[in-house]
Structure formats: C-alpha cells, structure tokens
C-alpha cells in the first residue's frame, strides 16, 4: 500500500512574475521621470492620447515547430482607423483608401477566417481591433482547430488509423483554426462597448470620406503595442534563452506553459478508479478564456460528484479508492495529463498506471440534447477481450446508475473513436478501461468551443433581474439542476465501481453547491463563499471576471480555487488552532503524509467585519503540470506538448489624431527659418553694435 | 508628432535665444557664469513658490473646486512676485560682485558693466523659464499623435513654441528694465516690470480658447498625491511649473491594465506659470 507522499512542487525554473495583480503581467516597473514620450498622464499627454484600458491582446505562442499568434513592432504599430462593419468596408482598406496603413476596427461578426486571411495577405493593414459581438454570433464561432489536440491523443497511424486526424468524426466542425495562425500585426480585443463607441465617434468625426473625396487631416489613428520577444519555435526560443541566461545578457524571452494538476485521493491506494477532466480553456486572446461549456461545466459537475460521494456513509469502507483529478493545460496538447502519465511511468507519482482500475472522464456536459449523455469508449482497445469485458461492466454500471435520474445514458458505439480527452493520454500508455461522458455524440454541441463567446449565456445560465450578488450566489438555475443530475449519476456509478454494495439512492449531488460554483467560476469570483474557503494570504486572487487560461506563472487563480473548493467539499473541519494547523508535523496524530491542512478565512460573522477562520483537513494535493518535454529538455518533441508563451515588455493601446505631413514639414521649415534668421540678425547686430547704438557721449558709456 | 515637429518647435522656441547666447554670451566666461547663476536663481524662486503652493494645496480640501482655483491663482501670483524678488536679490548679488571685480582688476574698472549683467541675467531667467515651459511639450511632440482629439486646436505645439520664444525675450527685457530701475532708483520701472509680468502670466493662464471636453481635467483634483488641478473646467489650466518641481515621484498608477505601474509626472496642461 503506497503511502501518500507530499507531491513536490518545484518552482517554475524559468522566470514568470508573481500573481500580485489580478492579471499577471510580465512587464517591468518603470519609473518615469523625463524620458521623452514615455511618460503617461501629464495633461499634454491627455490632450493628445486616449488610452484604451479594457483590451486583451493576442500574444505569441510557440510549439516545437511553429509560432502562432500576433506580433507588433517594437515601438508599436500605428494606423489610421477604419471601421469595418460589413464586408464592403474592407475594400477601402484593401484598395481604395488613400492613407494606408489602416488600423481596422472590426465588428465581431466579421471576425472569421475568410476576412482574417484577406487582411493577413495585405501590407495596408497595420493592426486590428475586434469589438466583441453582443449577442454572440448566431452561426457559432470557434477559433480552435477542427480536430483539437490532433497528433497528441491516442489515435495515430499505428493505433486506429481510421480514427486519426478526425477521419471518422470531425469534433469541432465550426473550428476555423484562427487561433493557430501567425499574424504579423497586432490584434486586440475591445471588451468595453464604451471604448468601442469612443473609437467609432472619433472615426465619424475625422475619418469618414466626405463628398466622394478622401478624408482630410487630421485623421483619427490608433496605436497598438504588443511586441513579443520570442520567434520561430520553442526550439529556437529555448536555445536563445539558454544562451542569454548562461551569459546573463538579457532576461529570458519565453515562458513555459505549466500549471498544477490536482489529484485527490480518498484514502490509501488500491487500484482506484480515476475520475478526471480538464479545467482550462483558451480563446484567440490572452487571458480571455471563459470556457463555460468547454471546461467549467465539467469541473463543476466533477466537484459536485466528489461532494456527493464524500457524503455517502460508507465511503471509507469501499474496496477501491477514487481519485478525482483535474488537469490543467489540456487545451495545449494535454500538458497536465501527459505529465501525470509520465510521472506514473517514472514512479514519481504515488500511483502506478497498472494500479488504475478504470477511468471515467467528463467533457462538456452542459448542453445535453433531450437529457442524453453519451458514453464514448475506445473501439481499438476494446478489441482486446479482457479490456472489452471491463469496459462492458463500466458501461453497465453507468447505465444502471442513471435509473431514476433525469439523465439518459447512451453508448456512442464501436464506430466512434474517443473525443479529444485526457483519457487518450492514459490509453497511449496502457489499455485501461475507460469511458468519456459528453453531451455530444459526434460533433460538439458547443458552437463556441475555445472562444471568447463560451460564456454563461452559452450554457443557458439565466438569472432573474434585480437580484443582489448574495441572492444570485444562492439562486439555483436550471443549468445547475441539470448538472447536478449528471453529477448524481456519476457519483453513483463511481460508488459502484469502487465496490460499494449498498443502495445508491442516498447519493445525491446538491444543486445549490453546483449553482454556487457556477456563479463563482463564471460570473463573479469575489463572492462570499469563495472568500470564506480560501487562505487569508491569497485572497487577492479573487478578481472580478473569471478566466481559465493556463498561463505561465503558477498556480493560476482557477487552480487555487478548485483546490480550495475541493478541500471544502471533501475535507473535514478539524479542531486545531492556527499554529497547529499551519505546522501539522508538530501534532502527533496529524498524519501529515496522508492529509493536507489548510487554515482558511471562514465566513464573516453576522454584523461584523471579522471572520471566523478554521482548519480544514483534506487529501487534496497539487502536482506539477509541466510538460515532460521540458523535463527531458526535448524542445522539439512530437510526443509531448511543447507549447510556450512569448514574453513581452508592454502591451497597451491608445487612439489620437495624426497631423498631415505638410503641417509637420511647415513646422520644421519655420523653425529652421527662425533659427537662421535669428542667428544672422544677432550676428549682424552684434557686429555693428557700435554703429547701431552709438551714443555721442563720453567714453564712460557702455555699449552692448 | 515626430521628429520634424520636435525640431521645428525646438528651433522656434530656442532659436533666438541660441543666437543671443552664441554671439553675445558664449565668448565671455564671466557672462556665462552670470547666465547660469541667473538661471539658478530663477529655479530657486520657482522651487520656493512651488513649495508654498504645495503646502497650501495639501492643507486644503481637494474636493473644494473654487478653493483649488483660488489657490492656483494665488500660486501664480505668488510665483511671479517671488521671481521678481529673486531678480532683485540677484541684482544685489551682482552689485556686490562688481565691487569684487573692480577690486580684482588691474585698472580699477570692472570688466563687465551692470547693464551687461542685466541683459545676461535676463537671458538666464528667460532660458530657464523657457526650458521649463517647453521641455515636456517637446517630449510629447516625439510621439505619433497631435493635440486635437478632445477638440483643442492642432496648432497647440506651434503656438506654445512661439509663446516660449516670446517669453524668453520678455524675461531679457524685464531683466534690463528692472536692473536699470534698481540702479537709478526709478521705482516706477520696477513696478512696471512686476505689473507686466503679472499681466502676461494672468492673461495666458486665463485664456480659455475652447471648452475642453475632457472631464478628467477635473478628476486630477481628488487624487491626494496630485497637486496640480486645472484652473477651471474648460481652461488650459494650471501652474504646471509648481507641479514640475513638486511631483516628480507623485502621480497615480495609471495604465495598470497589464500590471505595470507608471510613475509619472502629473501636470496639467500647460501654459501657465512659467512666466
């Protein structure tokens, strides 16, 4: 029986800033005293520029062979603004306009592959600002790939070639692959409708052509700064970074995408079933990843199932243990799951691959059609008799668990491969019997997969008007109820899988908890429940709008929060003082190797600002999710994820008026003329001073 | 607005002064010393007036608009009076210096007369005041944008440069006139200089060409660390020299979207107070 060790969490070896601000930055503190042009905030500067504060940039990401994303020049890109609201407006930019290059303000509905490739091909575009479309584009929008994480899953030419590269099923048919294109101009997202309106107003006032002729100077222009230091690919970037850090020339240019995954184990390890899913998401823009359907719905259901199981009376007596795992970085070629499999193979993880009895994964479960939940299995591994038998048992247990709940479980069948899921990485290593539960049979139901429109509205989370934040936190939406039913089914199935023999009708997921989690992870992180379950020293992580991008400085807010929610839902409150809780090794019966102790803030006392903190004992651990490619230093690996994110110095956007070249030249000419004139005049007056200022008087007079 | 405008405005503002310096001052080291000392005296006068104004602003309620406006007007007037007072002090110092120079010389004559000193001192005052007036603007001319997005005139930089040129000349003339008045005990000349100086300062500060649509100009006031309110809502605003001295490290951390905290000079738009 393996003892639970504390998982080592080495600090990230390559830089990364701390998480002191809600949006982590990798820029620098700069004092500004008199350097020309770089001081912001004095009134002359305010007369000239209007800064755009609520924007999100598109940054550069690199993998083993390519770079994707956007780049601006080192001193920003400037262009005359042109508002493109329909396709015809593009002609002005591409051909007719007399003042290239242009900075386009694109309506969100036109942000598609066709338009973007047109803009990519021309030199008349110096940048792009996309106004987020409200409401979301009805035809769907997904900048991800049609076949997510292709090449890093289990299907390849050696294993199920008929399923590789989405030959059989295209999972994300709306995927345009826009996130994976490389643009050489900056692209920003304008999140605030007021700022978009200011830009449009400026355009209307100055840039609209009148009477058929072109617009006249001064013209309204925009400047975007998003210079990225890294180029080409991860291989090049790491090589350059290591050279620079060896010789201490410059700060590093690249950061590895890494995170912490959270495995939770109920007790000792004896062939546990593993229950897993991903908690991160991505969209075209940096740190904009609401991920409502793609990530949040599934991990919230997962957490609810963990809570439901924890409340079952005989969970400690189960024959097998259940490990709930949350993987980070799955969007980028399965960073988290590939690392866990690697650790299991190298015996760095307390669990070994051959100890895993079965695997249940949940992916995208919020948009069920007619209450159907589909069970996907891997047809290739089921060709093996023993695996087939166990998968059959798994499927039957799941189907039986759905009796009585408003969830119909159906099998996707032998003709379907597994959808993109973390289970595929485990299958690569060993043929474990497993099932992936989703709300879609073939293509995703999610029409906004990996985009900025995958918001609560996408999963039909609706609240009545006029509720206060506290009431909204407690209000149970229909989405929450439906996810709670899925959680109930999964919890019961896990109970059976772990060998439980009793009646499972008592195992119920609580829709209130689900609703609170959905509110916290999708709408407002800074709510009273989250505040009460976290440690006092990290309460700064509760920013306003939650985003679930994997990022480089770890752990991100989402990881922390999931860790603490899990600890709260599955842990026990123990009666320890603060010192004992923070130093459990000093207490004799604490079993420090088995449990984690956290001193959390607690809720507010009524009518007071003081909180009642307490100690929570749980079995939640963080495990580093850095791709094995970086451990092995194989920057060009095709086996493991090699995604890295570029570093940058500053990212900002502003609008202003530009003057005509004629005015500038006139100013210069006038200046030179005045200079020359005054030099000549002074010279002559000085030379002829005694003539000009002669005073016919005594020699005591002074002359100039 | 790029390099062309930067150089154009620099030449307009400082061209004549450069001519004066090169042909009449540069060759004589004594004149150079007097020039630099004059500039220094002006700087000290500004420092003191800024200090007084800063204390007054800190001690007062930042949300009281008329009070802040009144304080600004008071600040401008006080600064002008202090500058003239320092001019007088400098005169006294130079008088003493002449005695010293006479004692040191071989033929009992000072190598430089008080009128020449007056001229050089005036140029010194003018140059330093022009520098404070213009440098921040010149810094902004290097960026890609020009003034106008809030409705101000595009010719802002050009007019500022001409004003600075005029200012330098004015200080030179005032220096000569003032010293002449002190020398010959003609108080009306001194008074005329002071009155002219107040008038020019006041008229430039009070000009309100177009109502600025920028309400942020008012929001400068509540930030406690920022001592530079605008003169009035539409106006071109306040005494930025005072701010120049007193808020090199002050300012609010604007632009913190990406977590980067700018520490910047907070100054209102500028035309005042350099005078």
């Amino acid at each position: 029986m393996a003892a639970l060790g504390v998982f080592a969490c080495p600090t990230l070896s390559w830089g990364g800033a701390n998480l002191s601000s809600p949006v982590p930055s990798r820029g620098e503190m700069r004092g500004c005293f008199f350097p020309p042009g770089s001081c912001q905030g004095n009134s002359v500067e305010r007369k000239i520029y209007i800064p755009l504060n609520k924007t999100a940039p598109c940054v550069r990401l690199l993998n083993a062979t390519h770079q994707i994303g956007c780049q601006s020049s080192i001193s920003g890109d400037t262009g005359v603004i042109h508002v493109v609201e329909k396709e015809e407006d593009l002609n002005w930019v591409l051909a007719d306009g007399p003042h290239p290059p242009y900075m386009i303000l694109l309506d969100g509905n036109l942000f598609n592959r066709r338009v973007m490739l047109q803009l990519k091909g021309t030199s008349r575009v110096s940048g792009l600002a996309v106004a987020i479309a409200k409401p979301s584009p009805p035809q769907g929008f997904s900048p991800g790939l049609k076949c997510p994480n292709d090449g890093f899953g289990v299907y390849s030419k050696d294993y199920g070639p008929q399923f590789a590269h989405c030959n059989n099923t295209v999972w994300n048919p709306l995927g345009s692959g826009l996130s994976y294109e490389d643009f050489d101009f900056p692209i920003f997202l304008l999140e605030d409708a007021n700022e978009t309106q200011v830009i449009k107003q400026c355009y209307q006032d100055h840039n609209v052509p009148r009477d058929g002729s072109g617009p006249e100077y001064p013209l309204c222009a925009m400047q975007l700064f998003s210079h990225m230091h890294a180029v080409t690919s991860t291989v090049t970037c790491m090589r350059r970074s290591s050279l620079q850090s060896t010789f201490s020339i410059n700060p590093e240019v690249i950061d590895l995408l890494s995170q912490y995954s959270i495995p939770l184990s109920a007790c000792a390890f004896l062939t546990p079933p593993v229950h897993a899913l991903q908690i991160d998401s991505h969209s075209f823009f940096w740190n904009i990843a609401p991920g409502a359907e793609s990530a949040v719905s599934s991990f919230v259901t997962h957490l609810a199932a963990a809570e439901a199981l924890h409340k079952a009376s005989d969970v400690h007596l189960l024959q097998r243990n259940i490990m709930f795992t949350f993987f980070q970085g799955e969007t980028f070629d399965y960073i988290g799951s590939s690392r866990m499999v690697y650790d299991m193979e190298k015996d760095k993880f307390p669990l070994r691959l051959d100890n895993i009895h079965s695997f249940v994964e949940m992916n995208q479960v919020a948009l069920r059609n007619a209450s159907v939940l589909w069970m996907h299995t891997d047809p290739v591994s089921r060709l093996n008799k023993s695996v087939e038998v166990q998968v059959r048992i798994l499927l039957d247990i799941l189907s039986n668990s759905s009796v009585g709940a408003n969830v119909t479980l159906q099998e996707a069948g032998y003709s379907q491969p597994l959808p993109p899921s973390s289970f595929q990485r485990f299958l690569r290593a060993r043929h474990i019997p497993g099932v992936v539960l989703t709300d879609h049979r073939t293509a995703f139901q999610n029409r906004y997969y990996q985009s900025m429109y995958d918001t609560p509205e996408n999963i039909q989370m609706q609240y009545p008007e006029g509720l206060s934040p506290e009431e909204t936190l407690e209000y149970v939406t229909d989405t929450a109820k439906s996810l709670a039913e899925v959680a109930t089914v999964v919890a019961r199935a896990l109970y059976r899988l772990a060998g439980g023999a009793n009646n499972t009708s008592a195992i119920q997921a609580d829709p209130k908890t689900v609703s609170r989690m959905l509110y916290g992870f999708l709408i407002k992180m800074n709510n009273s429940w989250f505040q009460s379950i976290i440690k006092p020293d990290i309460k700064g992580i509760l920013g306003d709008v939650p985003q679930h991008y994997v990022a480089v400085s770890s752990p991100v807010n989402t990881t922390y929060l999931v860790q603490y929610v899990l600890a709260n839902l599955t842990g026990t409150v123990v009666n320890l003082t603060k010192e004992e809780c923070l130093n459990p090794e000093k207490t004799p019966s604490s079993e420090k190797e088995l449990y984690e102790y956290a001193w959390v803030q607690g809720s507010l006392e009524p009518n007071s600002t003081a909180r009642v903190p307490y100690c929570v004992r749980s079995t939640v651990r963080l495990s580093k999710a850095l791709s094995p490619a970086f451990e092995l230093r194989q920057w060009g690996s095709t086996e493991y994820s090699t995604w890295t994110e570029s570093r940058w110095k500053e990212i900002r956007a502003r609008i202003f008026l530009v003057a005509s070249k004629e005015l500038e030249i006139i100013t210069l000419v006038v200046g030179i003329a005045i200079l020359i004139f005054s030099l000549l005049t002074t010279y002559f007056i000085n030379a002829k001073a005694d003539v000009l200022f002669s005073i016919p008087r005594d020699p005591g007079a002074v002359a100039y | 607005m790029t390099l062309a405008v930067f150089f154009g405005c620099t030449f307009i503002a400082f061209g004549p002064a450069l001519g004066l310096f090169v042909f009449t001052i540069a060759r004589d080291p004594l004149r150079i010393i007097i020039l630099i000392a004059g500039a220094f005296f002006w700087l000290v006068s500004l420092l003191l007036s800024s200090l007084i104004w800063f204390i007054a602003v800190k001690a007062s309620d930042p949300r009281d608009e008329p009070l802040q406006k009144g304080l600004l007007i008071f600040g401008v007037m006080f600064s002008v009076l202090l500058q003239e007072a320092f001019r007088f002090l400098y005169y006294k110092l130079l008088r003493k210096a002449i005695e010293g120079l006479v004692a040191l010389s071989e033929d009992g004559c000072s190598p430089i007369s008080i009128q020449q000193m007056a001229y050089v001192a005036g140029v010194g005052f003018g140059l330093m005041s022009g520098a404070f007036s213009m440098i921040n603007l010149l810094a902004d001319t290097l960026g890609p944008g020009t003034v106008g997005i809030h409705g101000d005139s595009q010719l802002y930089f050009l007019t500022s440069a001409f004003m600075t040129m005029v200012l330098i000349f004015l200080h030179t003339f005032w220096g000569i006139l003032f010293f002449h008045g002190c020398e010959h005990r003609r108080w009306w000349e001194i008074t005329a200089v002071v009155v002219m100086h107040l008038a020019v300062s006041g008229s430039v500060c009070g000009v309100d060409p177009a109502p600025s649509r920028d309400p942020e100009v008012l929001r400068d006031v509540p930030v406690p660390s920022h001592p530079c309110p605008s003169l009035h809502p539409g106006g071109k605003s306040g005494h930025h020299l005072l701010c120049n001295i007193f808020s090199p490290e002050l300012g609010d951390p604007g632009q913190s979207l990406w977590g980067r905290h700018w520490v910047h000079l907070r100054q209102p738009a500028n035309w005042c107070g350099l005078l």
Side-chain angles (χ1 to χ4, degrees), chain A residues 170-210:
Chain A
V170 177
W171 296 110
N172 187 22
L174 290 168
S176 55
L178 213 48
S179 288
Y180 294 84
E181 291 286 333
D182 182 31
F183 294 98
D184 58 1
F185 51 80
I187 304 180
F188 276 54
L189 175 71
L190 300 170
E191 296 171 278
D192 186 1
N194 290 338
E195 283 185 352
T196 314
Q197 191 48 40
V198 166
I199 302 176
K200 286 188 178 167
Q201 187 60 44
C202 187
Y203 168 78
Q204 290 292 337
D205 292 339
H206 297 103
N207 290 15
V208 177
R210 290 182 211 291

Side-chain angles (χ1 to χ4, degrees), chain A residues 25 32 40 43 51 57 651 657 686, chain B residues 23 146 258 263-264 267-269:
Chain A
S25 85
C32 184
Q40 286 246 348
S43 290
I651 290 193
L657 293 187
N686 197 32
Chain B
F23 292 115
T146 182
W258 306 110
V263 172
H264 47 254
Q267 291 148 352

Side-chain angles (χ1 to χ4, degrees), chain A residues 153-172:
Chain A
V154 71
Y155 300 111
S156 62
K157 61 177 178 8
D158 303 319
Y159 186 100
Q162 70 275 32
F163 302 125
H165 312 304
C166 291
N167 279 340
N168 182 286
T169 319
V170 177
W171 296 110
N172 187 22

Side-chain angles (χ1 to χ4, degrees), chain A residues 466-655:
Chain A
L467 290 181
S468 73
E470 275 306 306
E471 290 166 357
T472 325
L473 178 66
E474 299 297 334
Y475 182 83
V476 179
T477 52
D478 292 334
T479 317
K481 288 184 196 148
S482 109
L483 288 180
E485 280 159 15
V486 175
T488 306
V489 168
V490 170
R492 288 178 184 171
L494 287 175
Y495 177 79
R496 283 270 175 266
L497 275 174
N502 291 345
N503 196 338
T504 55
S505 55
I507 299 178
Q508 284 274 8
D510 184 8
K512 282 213 187 61
T513 318
V514 174
S515 202
R516 284 200 276 176
M517 286 195 283
L518 282 175
Y519 178 75
F521 285 109
L522 285 176
I523 298 181
K524 193 169 155 134
M525 260 185 185
N526 196 6
N527 57 65
S528 56
W529 186 47
F530 279 3
Q531 280 167 2
S532 67
I533 60 173
I534 57 171
K535 281 190 194 166
D537 45 342
I538 58 163
K539 57 179 187 276
I541 67 169
L542 297 176
D544 10 274
V545 185
Q547 303 292 355
H548 307 292
Y549 176 61
V550 59
V552 296
S553 43
S554 22
V556 282
N557 304 347
T558 311
T559 311
Y560 269 129
L561 276 173
V562 171
Q563 179 189 11
Y564 285 111
V565 169
L566 195 53
N568 176 275
L569 295 177
T570 58
T572 22
V573 178
V574 289
N575 199 2
L576 293 179
T577 63
K578 184 174 178 184
E579 290 70 35
E580 288 169 352
C581 192
L582 293 172
N583 301 306
E585 56 273 358
K586 301 207 181 122
T587 319
S589 62
S590 69
E591 288 177 314
K592 170 91 170 66
E593 300 81 30
L594 220 50
Y595 297 109
E596 278 279 307
Y597 290 85
W599 184 255
V600 301
Q601 324 196 88
S603 35
L604 284 171
E605 279 173 14
N607 296 337
S608 149
T609 50
R611 290 187 180 271
V612 187
Y614 55 92
C615 190
V616 171
R617 185 183 72 182
S618 65
T619 50
V620 182
R621 291 283 203 284
L622 289 183
S623 155
K624 191 138 184 73
L626 180 64
S627 170
F630 299 115
E631 287 283 310
L632 299 166
R633 305 185 79 81
Q634 290 168 3
W635 318 129
S637 167
T638 47
E639 170 77 11
Y640 299 112
S641 163
T642 47
W643 283 105
T644 48
E645 186 183 76
S646 170
R647 290 192 178 200
W648 59 81
K649 256 219 165 75
E650 62 165 348
I651 290 193
R652 58 191 171 107
R654 55 187 185 178
I655 62 170

